[in-house]
Amino acid sequence: MVKEIERAGLPVVHMCTIVPISKTVGANRIVPTVAIPHPLGNPNLSKEDEKELRRKLVLKALKALQTPIKDQTVFED
Amino acid sequence: MDLEIQQRVKDIAEKFGPENVVVILGGSEAESAGLSAETVTAGDPTFAGPLAGVALGLRVYHVVEDEVKNEFDPAVYDEQCGMMEMVLDVDAIKSEVGNIRKQYTKFND
Amino acid sequence: MMKVVHYINQFFGQIGGEEKADITPQLHEGVVGPGMALKNAFKGEADIVATIICGDSYFAEHQEEATKTILDMIKKYNPDVFVAGPAFNAGRYGTACGAVCKAVKEALNIPVVTGMYIENPGVDLYKKDAYIVLTKNSAVGMREAVPKMAKLALKLAKGEPMGSPQEEGYIPRGIRKNYIADERGSKRAVDMLVKKVNGEKFETEFEMPSFDRVAPNPPVKDITKAKIALVTSGGIVPKGNPDRIESSSASKFGKYDIDGVYDLTEATYETAHGGYDPTYANADADRVLPVDVLRDLEKEGKIGSLHRYYYATVGNGTAVASAKKFGAAIAKELIADGVDAVILTST
């Protein structure tokens, strides 16, 4: 899906936990996430901390969308 | 056949003795009914459940097979199974489950 | 007798389903689950001395640690061959099987065999590192897969020469081997050409790799004016799953209006995905689809706007062809709606 969206001409960022799979399917902008059943959350945190964590990840994704790249890029910290 | 049901079949066969158990299937496709039949006779073919490697050899029938159907009160059968009997591929189910039974059941009667 | 160590996941290890997918690697002496079938297929030539069971999610999330633990477990048995799976079309399981095989081969120099369905992501990642026997896409294919894997494993353990992928039933590894052909090259080439011209089936002697890569698009210029859309393969749907998206092998995607929605709650949204433990996503779907945060950013002017609709499907055993179709269809609509960029989340 990521690749088809990219092919259509839209910049797309893939947020996922298993980065190697994301690379295989051909995502170009990749942001690694927390865990498979809760990529953008962590139930062990308080509601506020969890949302802050999610906000950081989303901001990282937005940064990825604004970054010019040539090849597949994993946006770590 | 999911893991819980496999465990239940296994427990029942242990409690009552495999010779005293008959499994009646209701699966709507020949392939899945065949897999269930195989699970309770030769053992779980996917080797994922409690019946993996356990050949209970139980008697097993699908509810649309004549051996079972004839035991019912026809009015009750018609009410409960009549509709499904019309839409299912009964012949395929009969042949699939029948074949498995012939091959693997330990209780031929 | 030759010694084999076998790797399986929590499901085939009969420990449990998704709720147990986070278990750490554990060691069992002897056979468990599919190992029974494998052992039978060895027909007394080899014995499974130990089985290692690891949760699929645990492995995916702690690959380095898990691999290290597993290698330590294998070491002391000094097996003649290592077998993992088969994983069929289970993505995390396949990736784990491939990764463990690769590590065993590299660190311990023990031959390795696993089994997967051709679309399993583990195939592309690890086909060069391990013999991967081609299987059906579900555990129904166990009966067919096991004898092939056993045969390959025995061959490797004994150090016998390996046949071609077609003969042995494994996925081509990109290794070339010289051999004396019955006919000379020019004749084989012409024969092939004639068949091709006649529209007959022919077998190439050199499979071209299919690199289907799409170059990255230029970045978003001004994110504070951009319209951002959310797409997910994590199965987030309005409560009750109105489009009845299948929990695995999805045949469709859904488009959902989130106009005026500022937070996904337990009462309003859930996941339809059958391939991960749904507890966390059902309690708060923002954990998969970050609507709450994007609404905040929209309010703060950090993004232009959040697109009124989000798109969702279930990426669990879904055929690549379907996913391609969904992606293309979604992209078309997004472009028509003037969306500038997409965040796609996966579980």
Side-chain angles (χ1 to χ4, degrees), chain A residues 14-33:
Chain A
H14 193 203
M15 306 188 75
C16 65
T17 304
I18 317 182
V19 173
I21 292 190
S22 178
K23 283 190 175 162
T24 318
V25 301
N28 288 320
R29 293 177 167 90
I30 302 167
V31 170
T33 53

Side-chain angles (χ1 to χ4, degrees), chain A residues 14 36 40 50 54-55, chain C residues 61 287 292 300 344 346:
Chain A
H14 193 203
I36 291 159
L40 292 158
E50 191 183 12
R54 176 153 60 245
R55 187 181 161 99
Chain C
E61 290 165 8
R287 286 168 174 158
D292 58 348
E300 298 161 23
L344 194 151
S346 289

Side-chain angles (χ1 to χ4, degrees), chain B residues 3 31 35 38 45-49 52-53, chain C residues 11-12 14 33-34 36-37 139-140 142-143:
Chain B
L3 309 187
E31 195 187 1
L35 285 171
E38 191 175 340
T46 68
F47 284 85
Chain C
F11 177 72
F12 286 100
Q14 290 164 31
M36 289 186 242
V140 172
M142 187 68 82
R143 212 173 342 169

Side-chain angles (χ1 to χ4, degrees), chain C residues 6 8-9 20 47 51 66 68 73 86 99 111 132 151 190 197 227 234 278 296 321 342:
Chain C
H6 188 208
I8 51 178
N9 71 355
K20 296 283 182 198
D47 191 23
T51 304
K68 200 173 158 289
M73 288 173 169
I132 305 178
K151 199 174 135 213
V190 171
V197 169
K227 191 199 251 188
D296 289 349
V342 177

